[in-house]
Amino acid sequence: MSQMTMQEIARLSGVSLATVSRTIKNPQLVRPKTRERVLSMMAEHNYVYHATAADLSRRKSSVIGVTIPTTRNPVFASSSLAIQEIAQKKGFSIILGNTHHDAAIERQLLQSFQERHVAGMILTGFTLHQEAYLNNLARAGIPCLVIWEKLDEPWLSYIGFDNFKAARSMTEYLISLKHRRIGLIIGPFSKIGRVKKRLDGYRSALQDHNIAFDPDLVIEKEPLLYDGKEAMTRLMFLPKRPTAVFAASDMLAIGALSAAWDLGFNVPQDVSIAGFDDIDFAAYCSPPMTTVRVPSHEIGRLAAKYLIEAIEQGSMPLRHHCLDTDIVVRNTCSELR
Amino acid sequence: MSQMTMQEIARLSGVSLATVSRTIKNPQLVRPKTRERVLSMMAEHNYVYHATAADLSRRKSSVIGVTIPTTRNPVFASSSLAIQEIAQKKGFSIILGNTHHDAAIERQLLQSFQERHVAGMILTGFTLHQEAYLNNLARAGIPCLVIWEKLDEPWLSYIGFDNFKAARSMTEYLISLKHRRIGLIIGPFSKIGRVKKRLDGYRSALQDHNIAFDPDLVIEKEPLLYDGKEAMTRLMFLPKRPTAVFAASDMLAIGALSAAWDLGFNVPQDVSIAGFDDIDFAAYCSPPMTTVRVPSHEIGRLAAKYLIEAIEQGSMPLRHHCLDTDIVVRNTCSELR
DNA sequence: CTGAAAGCGCTTACAG
DNA sequence: CTGAAAGCGCTTACAG
């Protein structure tokens, strides 16, 4: 048990506790000779700094809380990676939790973040109806950033993109390829704000082009490969099947592609498929997936950067940062014959 | 600033600090009347428990440190998800860090875990040559579990599987399909222990079947899609190209599949491809990937379970847990014509 | 059932 | 350049 404390090191080096603390945090305040003696004592006795005690004493923390819907969907990997890299470089630790899009779990997670007195939080795609709680946090002076959403509440900060616009663009792209019977496989829009926006974008595009909305053509699923496959199978067995399918998440799209392949449909000759997210795998499907590119890494990078700035400055300016998305045309969509 | 402390709540409720602490942690020790008064005060004033201070005072912690090579490779998602779920349920928070297979980063991460006085650590596929450091941790009484590796050091605990055996089996499977010219696309075996074992497994299988080892046929890459594609392209342009390719990571295998598709090779008719890991996507490739199934979720589940048991009991029994892998035969491998 | 007090391992004015 | 002392927000014997 290397139970060495500063107190011990101080005694062993014949200096005061304060001096040990200084040689660690402000070495320039300590005479080189003294410093060396203390340092060598620490090395010799395997001293380990107690960051938690320091945080408490200093009344500030160096950990950041991050929530993610689920690690299972690689779409969030890229932004969370960016956050981790920047945080690590700046000396912050990350506490991570999966919400599974469950309001109760998310709530509990935020609670635990707060109890650990994190310096700030980044919430990836937070569940609807927690705004009140977020307000509490803001009032408690905890910098808090929502990412992957474009929030409607002007008093909450976010870094995201326009899910409505992105989904509408992709639908329009499909329409521009002469498709009029366009299936939609989509995540749980009844639970998740940004997914709802995608549904709305799809409907808006149809409406603008005088295409009647057909509820049989939209299937709500969890954003998982299996679900995408199942949904696609269902769509392809419809009496009047779609000529194009927009899967509003690459997980769903890749599942859908696999279904098409199994059923013997050629993509894109027999049916077009479009995805959303541009996860790494999208470019490596056969054929490579046409999808919506989302600035995932950039979102994470900005979030970490802004949050850490806010922590260091002691106050969080409101951020409403909406990044651009674009359509990556690859080979899963073609003009209707 | 909701700077409410127990002290404040105590004053407001006309009881002592100790009583407030008790109504939170040991309510049965407090008279119901008192308890209620305190509770309602806490609610009214939005009191937030300070877990960090409590940890310090109690001289124990309720956070677990977890390292992962990189969130970018979804192969680790499944075990890390399992860890998080269990930890969350048991009231532990997770600090996460990516090592990128870089010894210096990993070292720094472990250091920060130690400084935060985590209750225990789970290290996913740790870098070679940190054994000494791990020993320190063990001696300091910090339960520590390495996962995804089968360690040779008997005094270190791990939960993993036999990379050597798994790779040898897959190679033998390919040989059983009459292939004798088998390419190997593999991760950085010079840096990572478990990858080296896979290389050894491949070589051992060849040797057992009197197939000469051809260095031109093995390509060392980072386990990324892009790298898999590049490596496969290189292999297929070899003067004497392989009839089967074992990509010792599904990321590499999926990249390889994409290359084959681009180059106009049919899989498996023109060339067989086998993967390793059985990530979710493997089953949804076109065609579905034959690969090595690794009990990823189970590894995470066991690791979290054992670690938390150790934390609660105050001591860590040595664990050498080697789980089974098996070959999932899907459609990317066929007999040599 | 409740309170006073010591202590967890640090930091940080304040004095010298 | 260094030290003594108060304090961060809790927990936990010990006494009553």
Side-chain angles (χ1 to χ4, degrees):
Chain A
M1 305 285 273
S2 73
Q3 285 297 32
M4 274 293 141
T5 68
M6 278 192 183
Q7 191 60 263
E8 290 285 289
I9 296 293
R11 198 177 48 74
L12 289 167
S13 345
V15 297
S16 80
L17 172 58
T19 299
V20 179
S21 173
R22 286 189 195 103
T23 97
I24 293 176
K25 309 296 280 188
N26 295 92
Q28 76 289 357
L29 294 182
V30 179
R31 190 156 49 101
K33 265 271 186 57
T34 325
R35 198 196 303 161
E36 257 168 55
R37 189 147 34 96
V38 174
L39 249 19
S40 80
M41 262 324 178
M42 289 179 17
E44 180 177 333
H45 292 273
N46 243 295
Y47 170 74
V48 178
Y49 182 67
H50 198 311
T52 303
D55 277 0
L56 177 61
S57 178
R58 213 185 307 108
R59 241 149 313 165
K60 58 187 273 301
S61 124
S62 44
V63 359
I64 294 175
V66 177
T67 67
I68 269 193
T70 168
T71 313
R72 247 188 117 173
N73 190 332
V75 73
F76 303 114
S78 177
S79 49
S80 98
L81 192 63
I83 295 172
Q84 288 179 50
E85 282 172 351
I86 295 181
Q88 221 156 290
K89 206 178 305 168
K90 295 273 195 171
F92 286 85
S93 294
I94 297 284
I95 321 189
L96 190 76
N98 284 228
T99 67
H100 298 285
H101 288 127
D102 178 316
I105 296 181
E106 182 171 61
R107 185 59 172 275
Q108 187 196 326
L109 229 35
L110 297 190
Q111 176 82 26
S112 79
F113 287 174
Q114 211 185 156
E115 291 189 350
R116 299 222 154 268
H117 282 234
V118 295
M121 304 187 189
I122 296 176
L123 310 179
T124 309
F126 90 131
T127 313
L128 253 38
H129 310 308
Q130 305 259 26
E131 291 88 351
Y133 192 74
L134 288 195
N135 276 333
N136 270 352
L137 294 181
R139 218 174 305 129
I142 307 183
C144 190
L145 219 43
V146 172
I147 62 174
W148 278 89
E149 297 281 354
K150 179 171 169 302
L151 261 26
D152 294 327
E153 297 73 12
W155 58 87
L156 258 26
S157 290
Y158 68 80
I159 299 175
F161 55 90
D162 194 328
N163 280 284
F164 175 85
K165 233 170 75 184
R168 190 177 54 186
S169 299
M170 184 53 101
T171 312
E172 274 171 345
Y173 171 67
L174 260 15
I175 295 173
S176 79
L177 293 176
K178 310 274 202 306
H179 294 281
R180 295 188 61 85
R181 199 151 171 77
I182 301 171
L184 177 69
I185 307 178
I186 186 164
F189 53 77
S190 17
K191 279 196 300 184
I192 310 173
R194 70 176 173 286
V195 177
K196 178 67 166 57
K197 303 271 175 61
R198 292 183 195 177
L199 173 62
D200 293 345
Y202 163 83
R203 295 191 65 153
S204 158
L206 295 186
Q207 192 172 339
D208 289 355
H209 294 268
N210 296 311
I211 302 175
F213 173 78
D214 179 351
D216 284 353
L217 248 29
V218 354
I219 301 190
E220 181 177 4
K221 283 284 186 183
E222 291 300 314
L224 299 173
L225 293 163
Y226 176 83
D227 287 56
K229 186 162 190 165
E230 208 179 58
M232 184 67 176
T233 305
R234 187 128 64 88
L235 285 175
M236 295 315 277
F237 276 108
L238 239 38
K240 277 190 65 183
R241 67 164 179 257
T243 61
V245 173
F246 177 22
S249 142
D250 280 345
M251 293 292 272
L252 292 170
I254 293 174
L257 186 57
S258 157
W261 202 85
D262 278 10
L263 298 172
F265 288 104
N266 248 305
V267 176
Q269 294 88 327
D270 300 329
V271 59
S272 291
I273 297 179
F276 198 120
D277 292 334
D278 196 26
I279 61 175
D280 291 347
F281 293 93
Y284 293 84
C285 295
S286 317
M289 184 73 70
T290 293
T291 188
V292 177
R293 176 183 295 133
V294 167
S296 178
H297 191 272
E298 182 69 1
I299 288 176
R301 195 184 69 75
L302 284 176
K305 178 169 170 286
Y306 289 161
L307 191 75
I308 291 175
E309 278 174 20
I311 291 169
E312 284 169 349
Q313 288 164 25
S315 82
M316 174 87 176
L318 232 39
R319 301 269 184 193
H320 295 159
H321 207 120
C322 190
L323 300 172
D324 286 334
T325 58
D326 42 28
I327 295 180
V328 198
V329 175
R330 288 196 277 247
N331 310 324
T332 49
C333 298
S334 67
E335 192 158 321
L336 184 67
R337 295 164 312 175
Chain B
M1 305 286 273
S2 74
Q3 286 296 34
M4 273 293 142
T5 67
M6 279 193 181
Q7 191 61 263
E8 289 285 289
I9 297 293
R11 199 178 46 74
L12 291 166
S13 345
V15 297
S16 80
L17 172 57
T19 300
V20 179
S21 174
R22 288 190 195 102
T23 97
I24 293 175
K25 307 296 279 187
N26 295 91
Q28 78 287 359
L29 295 182
V30 179
R31 187 155 51 102
K33 265 266 181 65
T34 326
R35 197 196 305 163
E36 257 168 53
R37 188 147 35 95
V38 174
L39 249 20
S40 79
M41 261 323 175
M42 288 179 18
E44 180 177 332
H45 292 274
N46 243 295
Y47 169 74
V48 178
Y49 182 67
H50 198 311
T52 302
D55 276 1
L56 178 60
S57 179
R58 214 184 309 106
R59 239 149 317 165
K60 57 186 273 303
S61 126
S62 45
V63 359
I64 293 175
V66 178
T67 67
I68 269 192
T70 169
T71 312
R72 249 189 115 172
N73 190 332
V75 73
F76 303 114
S78 178
S79 49
S80 98
L81 193 63
I83 294 172
Q84 287 178 50
E85 281 170 352
I86 295 182
Q88 221 157 289
K89 207 179 301 165
K90 295 274 193 167
F92 286 85
S93 295
I94 296 284
I95 322 190
L96 191 75
N98 285 226
T99 66
H100 299 284
H101 288 126
D102 177 316
I105 297 180
E106 182 171 61
R107 183 61 172 273
Q108 187 196 326
L109 229 35
L110 297 191
Q111 176 81 27
S112 79
F113 287 174
Q114 211 184 157
E115 292 190 349
R116 299 225 155 267
H117 283 231
V118 296
M121 306 188 188
I122 296 176
L123 309 181
T124 309
F126 88 133
T127 313
L128 251 38
H129 310 308
Q130 306 259 23
E131 291 88 352
Y133 193 74
L134 287 195
N135 276 333
N136 269 351
L137 295 181
R139 218 175 303 129
I142 308 183
C144 190
L145 219 44
V146 171
I147 63 174
W148 279 88
E149 299 281 355
K150 179 171 170 300
L151 261 26
D152 294 326
E153 296 74 11
W155 57 87
L156 259 26
S157 290
Y158 67 80
I159 300 174
F161 55 90
D162 193 328
N163 281 284
F164 175 85
K165 233 169 75 183
R168 191 178 54 187
S169 300
M170 183 53 101
T171 311
E172 273 172 345
Y173 171 68
L174 259 15
I175 294 172
S176 80
L177 293 176
K178 310 272 201 305
H179 294 280
R180 297 190 58 87
R181 200 152 171 77
I182 302 171
L184 177 68
I185 307 178
I186 187 163
F189 52 78
S190 18
K191 279 197 299 184
I192 311 173
R194 72 177 170 285
V195 177
K196 178 66 166 56
K197 304 269 175 61
R198 293 183 195 177
L199 173 62
D200 294 344
Y202 163 83
R203 295 190 67 152
S204 157
L206 294 186
Q207 192 174 339
D208 287 356
H209 293 268
N210 296 310
I211 301 175
F213 173 77
D214 178 353
D216 284 352
L217 248 30
V218 355
I219 301 189
E220 181 175 5
K221 283 284 187 183
E222 290 302 314
L224 299 172
L225 294 164
Y226 176 81
D227 287 57
K229 186 160 190 167
E230 207 179 57
M232 184 67 176
T233 305
R234 189 128 64 89
L235 286 176
M236 296 315 278
F237 275 110
L238 239 38
K240 278 190 65 182
R241 65 163 180 258
T243 61
V245 172
F246 177 22
S249 144
D250 279 345
M251 293 293 271
L252 291 171
I254 293 173
L257 186 56
S258 157
W261 201 85
D262 278 10
L263 298 172
F265 289 103
N266 248 305
V267 176
Q269 296 88 324
D270 301 328
V271 59
S272 291
I273 297 179
F276 198 119
D277 292 335
D278 196 25
I279 61 175
D280 291 346
F281 292 94
Y284 293 85
C285 295
S286 318
M289 184 73 69
T290 293
T291 188
V292 176
R293 178 183 294 133
V294 166
S296 177
H297 191 273
E298 182 69 0
I299 288 176
R301 196 184 68 75
L302 285 177
K305 179 168 169 287
Y306 288 160
L307 191 75
I308 291 174
E309 278 174 20
I311 291 169
E312 284 169 350
Q313 288 165 24
S315 82
M316 174 86 178
L318 231 38
R319 301 270 185 192
H320 296 159
H321 206 120
C322 190
L323 301 172
D324 286 334
T325 57
D326 40 30
I327 294 181
V328 198
V329 174
R330 288 197 276 246
N331 311 323
T332 48
C333 297
S334 67
E335 191 159 322
L336 184 66
R337 297 164 308 174

